[in-house]
Amino acid sequence: MRQIVIGAAQMGPNQKSDSREVIVARMVALLEQAAAKGCTLVVFPELALTTFFPRWYMDDQAEVDTWFEDEMPNEATRPLFDRARELGIAISIGYAEKTPDGHHFNTQILTDRQAKIIGKYRKTHLPGHSDYDHDRAFQHLEKRYFEPGDTGFPVWRTQDAIVGMLICNDRRWPEAYRVMGLQGVELVVLGYNTPSVNSQMGSEGLEQRLYHSELSMTAAAYQNATWVVGVAKAGDEDGHPLMGGSIIVDPNGYVVARAETEGDELLVHACDMDLCNFGKETIFDFERHRRIEHYGLITSQTGVVRPA
Amino acid sequence: MRQIVIGAAQMGPNQKSDSREVIVARMVALLEQAAAKGCTLVVFPELALTTFFPRWYMDDQAEVDTWFEDEMPNEATRPLFDRARELGIAISIGYAEKTPDGHHFNTQILTDRQAKIIGKYRKTHLPGHSDYDHDRAFQHLEKRYFEPGDTGFPVWRTQDAIVGMLICNDRRWPEAYRVMGLQGVELVVLGYNTPSVNSQMGSEGLEQRLYHSELSMTAAAYQNATWVVGVAKAGDEDGHPLMGGSIIVDPNGYVVARAETEGDELLVHACDMDLCNFGKETIFDFERHRRIEHYGLITSQTGVVRPA
């Protein structure tokens, strides 16, 4: 048994007016709860430090940049890193990253239990659009404010497991999990900010949106024989509802813990990494069963080409 | 609206001693039921014409070949093709195919409404093993009796839809659906024979096996915005139980029809192909969102390579 007690630290809404200091204090409180429950890894959501600002159209790059972090940790987040180090808890956090040379990414990091950053992932599958869209009920401007990630889908071998990261919309793309599965991933940690309403189909409804989120994570967990921890930022941000639905999924594709609220809420589960072994050695033993000679279109063709 | 009334013709068990004529008569009866309900396409299971013979170890190739069809249609299946033509119903059937030059495939065909074969798919992802396995509760010798399919994952543009086929274990592999998704697939028809018991983990249980089957099909339907029709051969074949769980899944990943028995049972649903459009044009608009530059491992590497 290779057990990791994992905390999925769902966060309630961050309003535009909330300072990072106020938000980080909530994250520290979740971390303290996790420590009391024996967690050694705590996963926070995408864009944990701010509101989901891609819903707001901005023209002024200086204004856009106020939502980004120039370094990590920084003054606002140092209390979280310090407390994590004291408690011996590894953390994973999503935030908007501005690089020294001016690139903008939607980023997630993983630390070790000494609060040292050991992994960085930059979101690959940016949803939404680049320009103001008058046909939508509200904006989703991730393609405006972020560049597609340049990291690919790396994994990191920690003391306890082979760990990978995804962010939000990435979780709907089987390609993302499979690239990590081919590196033996045992634990995928991911954060998300998902509007409760489909901006292009208001009738879709929250229930269907929660189903699609869970369906994507549970199928990927099963088909790659990996744990998946999906953590929401949820609740009403300045009148714009984000769904919750944070879950911890086992390597059989079963949900073993699920958030009940749309607020700050900690899920805890003792995850045995050895539960990945059976699937990886039998039905999803890729070496014996995959037939890459027939998968060519997946990497040779981006969009759809219909038959004549 | 581009509506196709589809019949998913689950079949109960075929015993070793059942002649193809007896089995085909049951298939014709299902076809008649489907006609009465207005179906224009009926999908039958994998290896519909015989028992699931890969559970039996055979050394004698002449004996193996008795389970294969040298041509299609043939004398035994002609009544089914003739009746389908009279009723104006397209059919899809799985069977063991022996080619004129002696190759053996696990095959599924699709006809038009005049009973003319317009598509042939050969199973890509063969589960199981090649040699007698003393560690299993029973044998699963697909890798012994079949070669991996040589067709890849083609789709066919019919009058009503872009249609693809998969067989059994293929349904668990997101690569298979994605290759068809990249060709605009709107309807995936597939048959299966899935033991109710995991030969390598008896404690797994039927419920989990049904869940995994459904999870794979529903996730793929959602993530490729396609209908999926999965049809079982079910029930007790000479003491070896096969699970049922035939389903019709809409392009949102919802099950709209589900088999209740493990016998001959027809599911019928009027499937609107235009329900595929929204997903294909928004969240799964591959051209806008896929990032093939990061998917390379999927086609360059068959098995797992773990980080150092």
Side-chain angles (χ1 to χ4, degrees), chain B residues 92 121 227:
Chain B
S92 187
Y121 169 72
W227 290 89

Short mmCIF file of all heavy atoms in Angstrom, two decimals, chain B residues 92 121 227:
data_model
loop_
_atom_site.label_atom_id
_atom_site.label_comp_id
_atom_site.label_asym_id
_atom_site.label_seq_id
_atom_site.Cartn_x
_atom_site.Cartn_y
_atom_site.Cartn_z
N SER B 92 -26.39 -3.92 -38.94
CA SER B 92 -24.98 -4.04 -38.60
C SER B 92 -24.83 -5.30 -37.76
O SER B 92 -25.58 -5.51 -36.80
CB SER B 92 -24.50 -2.81 -37.82
OG SER B 92 -23.09 -2.86 -37.65
N TYR B 121 -15.69 -3.25 -40.62
CA TYR B 121 -14.72 -2.87 -39.60
C TYR B 121 -14.16 -4.14 -38.97
O TYR B 121 -14.91 -5.09 -38.72
CB TYR B 121 -15.37 -1.98 -38.53
CG TYR B 121 -14.46 -1.81 -37.34
CD1 TYR B 121 -13.33 -1.01 -37.43
CD2 TYR B 121 -14.70 -2.49 -36.15
CE1 TYR B 121 -12.45 -0.90 -36.37
CE2 TYR B 121 -13.83 -2.37 -35.07
CZ TYR B 121 -12.70 -1.58 -35.20
OH TYR B 121 -11.83 -1.47 -34.14
N TRP B 227 -23.81 10.04 -31.23
CA TRP B 227 -24.60 8.92 -30.72
C TRP B 227 -23.73 7.67 -30.61
O TRP B 227 -22.85 7.46 -31.46
CB TRP B 227 -25.78 8.63 -31.66
CG TRP B 227 -26.83 9.69 -31.65
CD1 TRP B 227 -26.89 10.81 -32.44
CD2 TRP B 227 -27.99 9.75 -30.80
NE1 TRP B 227 -28.00 11.56 -32.13
CE2 TRP B 227 -28.70 10.93 -31.14
CE3 TRP B 227 -28.49 8.92 -29.80
CZ2 TRP B 227 -29.89 11.29 -30.50
CZ3 TRP B 227 -29.67 9.29 -29.16
CH2 TRP B 227 -30.36 10.45 -29.50
#
